[in-house]
Amino acid sequence: MSGFTQTAVSQILVKGQLIVLLYFFAVNGWYLILLVSSLLELRRHMLLITDESRHLLLSSTLSPTISILAPAFNEEATIDASLRALLALQYPNLEVIVVSDGSKDRTVQVLIERFDLVPVKTIYEHRIKTKPVRSLYRSATYPSLVVVDKDNGGKADALNVGLSFARGELVCAMDADTLIEADGLQRMVRPFLYATDVVATGGTIRVVNGSEVKFGRVVRAAVPTSLLAGVQVVEYLRAFLFGRLGWNRLGGNIIISGAFGLFQREAVLSAGGYLHDTVGEDMELVLRLKRLSYERGGPGKIAFVPDPVAWTEVPESAKVLGRQRDRWHRGLADVLWRHRRMLFNPRYGVTGLFVFPYYAFVELLAPVIEAAGLIGLAFGLATGVIDWNFAGLFYLTAYGLGTALTAFTLILEDLSFHRYETFRDRALLFWWALVENLGYRQLTVYWRLRGLWKFLRGKKDWGSMERKGFHPVTAS
Amino acid sequence: MISKQLLNIVMLIEIGLLMLAVGLFFAHGLWLFLNQRRIRRLTEVARESLAHLVTRGTVNVDDIDALRQLPNNVQVMAFLEMSRNVTGAGKERLSFVARQVGLVDRAQKLCVSRRWTRRLRGARILSRLGVVDPLVQQLLSDPHPAVRAQAAEWAAAQPSVPVISAMLTLLADPATQARFAVQDALLRMGGVVAEPLATFLERHTGRAAEAGLRVAESLAEPSFMPAALRLSCSEDVGVRIAAAKLLGAVGDAAAAQRLIELLDDDDSSVRAAAAQGLGRMQHWQAASLLAYRLRDSAWRVRRAAGLALRSIGAPGVLFLRRALKEDDAFASDMAQQVLDLPTAAASG
């Protein structure tokens, strides 16, 4: 290499690393703002809910009707318990619609036998195009239960069919394996009662791995001891308690977890329901609802409820987790690409000017920048262009500050809902907050990059999710 | 490239932040652990004293003193917990004891605070204790909707003329939260609100009337009829729907006649509400008209008509069976689906 080339490469490396460093400073600075915002929002929320009488809502005939849409695919083993838990939710005007998405096992048979189902003429209002519905059942014992058997078409298609059969003013979209807190719907419906411009609400989803589950309810929350599940507990807390809650105060929420979300049915139907040809159908719907509210007028507020309302099982194998993260990132890329016209577009208000650019330049491009930074750092150290002081500063900025912010998130949880009660849980949470930076976070960078690559190549497969199932109850 | 000094400064800041977070996290855990044990013990004392005072009906000075010495949060928690489980004379005694220990005074001070969160807290305590207090009534016109909503919850247990009058005004509240709380509270007041609500409905239109009609539907008093008939001609679709539902709930001959007219309304939601109302009244004389609506262009009307026919009983079922032979596939399919429904699912 000639002297000139060597100097040019060193300059590029040094300047590049400085840019990456500044990027991390800016991102962590923004996270700090989000943390403060979420702290203020959480305080306001706690003041509002302390000693409130939610039981009044429970017994009020004026509460809006909620239709729960529960897609099921080959859930023969768990559908009985899951459905009984749904039917036992504490909410006065409730309808449960189970959509068997072309299950190849005995899911529908189990439902027929255990819930006293009878077939009824299969007609419904076709407002959204879906795969054909094979049969429709109603229960002779549970008047609010509707079971639909349809050809396989994926989760989005199953939810669209559910939407066609729903009669509630609000619809609750969930995953078949989500465990909803008994009073979860009462907590989630609150924003709809508080404002007329709310089109959807999401709540805090917690990781169920390691916790004790009895009759479809989490009876004791605990932090798992396995590495992958443990770090995901910390990740979920951070994502919900300071990410979404912080954005909530700033009016910039555009994500509602597919595991559990509540929507205005008419708004979703008017928007055309869930899209089939995307792997990020949850985020796509929310962003579309938001966009349409700017274009057509009407409600467009996405509210976030910090209360822990539902629990989900996270993958404990690197292979499955990798597939999930790769899919999430592909979904993000796809959704942002579809709605790219919103970027820096003042017509879309805060969403176009701040939220969309944040998701594009921070959430989407973060793995690219982080990977470039790490590779440049290794190369720079190897060639002596970058000194150890710089490397130290880089690490502290990229990861150290993040760890401190995560630790403050744990305090937020502790000050508010305090679901992890024992010293063991506390120590484990902190341990996983430290450990996640030593390999796990870098691994997620790889998975997300893989997702981006697949998106660029146009891949839209879901990959399979293997579940371990919930732990049986142990006497305590 | 980067001075050692800068690195050290950043490292010190981060270590400081991390240590602060860890310290706070574990210190809070330790505090919770110790405090919860203390609170649990104190709560047991409070529960026992309160149980003595409320169930025996005699005031024991020792029990009052024991309650007075408790920290504020424990005292409030114990009283609010007990308030859920007592009614009538028990609740009156509870509120008397709350006055004796100074809890009511403190809540009243909170009610006049400049901070809405404190006013909310004050109103919440007084509501739960069932204390009759003009201060809470004043909060019905509070600038914050959460406080107004809480005051409405309090009002549900105080059905006096001025309170009802203030509550009815709030039916036009722009804040959904307050409006919902007011509607719910009016419902809980029961028949006592029928007359003032009927008068209110006769004089109002728009959002306030719609909110009032929903309450009236649940109360289903005949005195709402004139207002329901008037509002069923409103230009506002929401009001016409609510009026149709009220007519169905009240259910006399005039109501049936108006509902039959509404079956021809331009708006499908109104037609569906009218069909639903006729079904609720089990007005068999309208069976043929409902059967005709099985051919309506709107799904919701066909469905409401089918379910209404099923609710009517034998005459309605007869029309549904006849509809099975109709050339119109929409009508015959809907009739088949409604006839297939198990009884439990056919009510709505």
Side-chain angles (χ1 to χ4, degrees), chain A residues 48 50-51 53 56 59-60 121 123-124 136 143 167 193-194 196 390 393 396 400 414 418 426 430, chain B residues 1-2 7 14 22 25 28-29 32 115 121 124 128 153 176-177 183-184 188 299 333 337 340 344 348:
Chain A
L48 265 174
T50 305
D51 295 324
S53 306
L56 290 181
S59 56
S60 178
K121 175 83 179 173
I123 50 164
Y124 59 101
L136 170 67
R167 282 181 297 136
L193 299 179
Y194 282 16
T196 46
F390 184 90
L393 186 65
L396 287 173
D414 209 39
H418 186 54
R426 204 171 279 271
F430 191 69
Chain B
M1 198 165 85
I2 293 286
L7 181 67
E14 286 195 8
V22 176
F25 186 53
H28 185 243
L32 274 177
R115 289 163 69 172
R121 180 98 178 117
R124 223 161 239 178
R128 299 277 288 276
E153 190 185 317
T176 325
Q177 181 189 7
Q183 286 175 294
D184 189 63
R188 285 173 203 284
W299 161 272
D333 283 353
Q337 188 181 58
D340 285 346

Side-chain angles (χ1 to χ4, degrees), chain B residues 99 104 107-108 110-112 119-142 147-156 158 163 166-167 170:
Chain B
R99 273 184 203 283
V104 171
Q108 284 169 332
L110 287 172
C111 284
V112 291
R119 295 198 300 277
L120 177 66
R121 180 98 178 117
R124 223 161 239 178
I125 294 171
L126 294 177
S127 303
R128 299 277 288 276
L129 292 173
V131 175
V132 184
D133 195 318
L135 273 176
V136 194
Q137 193 180 328
Q138 282 166 23
L139 293 179
L140 284 169
S141 50
D142 193 272
V147 182
R148 292 201 295 278
Q150 187 56 53
E153 190 185 317
W154 166 87
Q158 323 294 337
V163 169
M167 295 278 281
L170 283 175

